[in-house]
């Protein structure tokens, strides 16, 4: 008799433990009564009918998912390996249970296919330089695709873009050629600006011949102040010697006729 009562007590305790559930703040429980969805419970204490109701726990915290490296061929036919990370969370627990069998696996597979698809529409230079724009595009596409599953994709980040050695050397040569091109352009622009300034200075000096003579004298003074120089070259303007040439004409011009 006492053994039968003990068995009943044990069964009652087991039923009580199976009927009482405690959910933390970050979890919700999707309750199925005889296989039919009857509501979402939690957080806190939840009472279930043993053998009639079943509860599936769903975590509402942000989940960080690594997307495995994917072989991608860019729009300019360059093969790269790209991996990413996806941040998402469940906002509707009932949909994450009722609309998809395993939302974690489904989101992972969807992220891999969308990553290959989106990166295949961009050239290599865009993948390397426009990551923020590509991340935003991936986040928007994944968020729209997972919305029927009750999932909100908060962010998508491309982590690494791996290139083969041949492509790395080609990019290095391209960068070096680009730097040389910029240096030549800057040098040519400097020469053009210097020529323009010299033209303006020549035009200004041509209006005032005295200024040109003063410039000659200033050049001579600068050369004489250099203690290391032993030779002085003095540029003599033709305007100074023209009166002398007129005062002493050549013999041919001043010769007398017979």
């Amino acid at each position: 008799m006492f053994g039968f009562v003990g068995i009943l007590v044990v069964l009652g305790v087991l039923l009580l433990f199976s009927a009482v559930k405690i959910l933390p703040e970050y979890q919700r429980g999707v309750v199925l009564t005889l296989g039919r969805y009857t509501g979402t419970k939690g957080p806190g204490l939840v009472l279930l009918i043993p053998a009639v109701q079943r509860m599936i726990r769903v975590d509402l915290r942000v989940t960080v998912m690594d997307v495995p490296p994917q072989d991608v061929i860019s729009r300019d036919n360059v093969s790269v390996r790209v991996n990413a990370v996806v941040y998402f969370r469940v906002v509707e627990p009932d949909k994450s249970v009722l609309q998809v069998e395993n939302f974690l696996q489904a989101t992972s597979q969807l992220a891999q296919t969308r990553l290959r698809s989106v990166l295949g529409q961009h050239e290599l230079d865009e993948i390397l330089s426009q990551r923020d724009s590509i991340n935003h595009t991936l986040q928007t596409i994944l968020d729209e695709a997972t919305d029927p599953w009750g999932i909100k994709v908060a962010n998508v980040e491309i982590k690494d873009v791996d290139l083969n050695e041949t492509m790395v050397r080609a990019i290095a040569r391209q960068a070096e050629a680009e730097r040389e091109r910029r240096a030549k352009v800057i040098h040519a622009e400097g020469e053009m600006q210097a020529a323009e300034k010299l033209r303006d200075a020549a035009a200004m000096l041509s209006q005032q011949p005295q200024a040109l003579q003063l410039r000659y004298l200033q050049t001579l003074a600068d050369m004489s102040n250099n203690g290391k120089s032993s030779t002085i070259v003095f540029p003599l303007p033709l305007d100074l010697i023209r009166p002398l040439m007129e005062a002493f004409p050549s013999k041919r011009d001043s010769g007398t006729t017979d």
Side-chain angles (χ1 to χ4, degrees):
M1 182 65 180
F2 290 103
F4 180 73
V5 173
I7 293 175
L8 291 179
V9 171
V10 172
L11 291 176
V13 173
L14 293 177
L15 290 175
L16 180 62
F17 274 105
S18 63
V20 176
K21 303 294 182 181
I22 297 178
L23 294 176
E25 184 66 31
Y26 54 84
Q27 286 186 351
R28 297 295 182 271
V30 178
V31 179
L32 302 177
T33 303
L34 296 178
R36 183 181 295 273
Y37 170 70
T38 55
T40 302
K41 304 294 184 180
L45 183 64
V46 179
L47 297 178
L48 301 176
I49 302 175
V52 176
Q53 291 183 324
R54 183 169 66 95
M55 186 182 69
I56 303 174
R57 296 173 181 263
V58 180
D59 199 321
L60 303 184
R61 292 175 294 183
V62 175
T63 301
V64 182
M65 175 181 295
D66 283 328
V67 180
Q70 303 295 310
D71 292 325
V72 179
I73 298 178
S74 62
R75 191 171 63 182
D76 50 351
N77 296 324
V78 178
S79 178
V80 296
R81 287 180 64 85
V82 182
N83 62 342
V85 59
V86 181
Y87 300 86
F88 67 94
R89 63 186 181 91
V90 177
V91 294
E92 297 180 74
D94 54 337
K95 290 184 178 180
S96 67
V97 174
L98 302 177
Q99 300 298 328
V100 61
E101 179 181 1
N102 188 334
F103 68 87
L104 291 174
Q105 183 179 2
T107 303
S108 176
Q109 295 296 323
L110 183 64
Q112 296 177 36
T113 56
R114 291 294 188 270
L115 180 64
R116 292 193 298 267
S117 176
V118 171
L119 294 183
Q121 301 174 7
H122 294 77
E123 296 183 357
L124 178 61
D125 292 340
E126 296 175 351
I127 296 176
L128 296 176
S129 62
Q130 301 181 9
R131 288 195 180 186
D132 292 338
S133 177
I134 296 176
N135 291 338
H136 179 70
T137 302
L138 285 170
Q139 184 267 332
T140 302
I141 293 175
L142 288 178
D143 189 31
E144 293 177 353
T146 57
D147 184 68
W149 303 340
I151 295 175
K152 173 65 178 178
V153 178
N155 195 12
V156 179
E157 293 287 344
I158 296 177
K159 295 173 61 178
D160 298 318
V161 179
D162 295 331
L163 302 172
N164 55 40
E165 294 297 330
T166 303
M167 185 55 60
V168 171
R169 290 193 295 269
I171 293 176
R173 290 195 300 269
Q174 180 183 1
E176 183 178 358
E178 178 65 19
R179 288 193 295 269
E180 292 179 356
R181 183 189 68 83
R182 293 181 181 178
K184 291 179 180 179
V185 170
I186 293 174
H187 180 72
E189 291 178 351
E191 293 291 337
M192 183 176 64
Q193 293 176 3
E196 292 177 353
K197 295 299 182 182
L198 289 175
R199 180 194 61 190
D200 297 340
M204 184 177 297
L205 292 174
S206 64
Q207 298 176 1
Q208 298 291 335
Q210 296 82 0
L212 182 60
Q213 296 178 7
L214 292 176
R215 183 60 181 167
Y216 284 144
L217 295 176
Q218 181 65 39
T219 303
L220 179 61
D222 294 339
M223 295 174 62
S224 62
N225 291 332
N226 187 5
K228 298 181 180 180
S229 177
S230 60
T231 303
I232 298 178
V233 179
F234 179 68
L236 186 63
L238 293 178
D239 294 339
L240 297 179
I241 64 176
R242 185 176 291 113
L244 298 177
M245 294 176 62
E246 294 176 354
F248 300 96
S250 62
K251 295 181 178 181
R252 184 180 59 184
D253 295 337
S254 62
T256 59
T257 58
D258 294 335

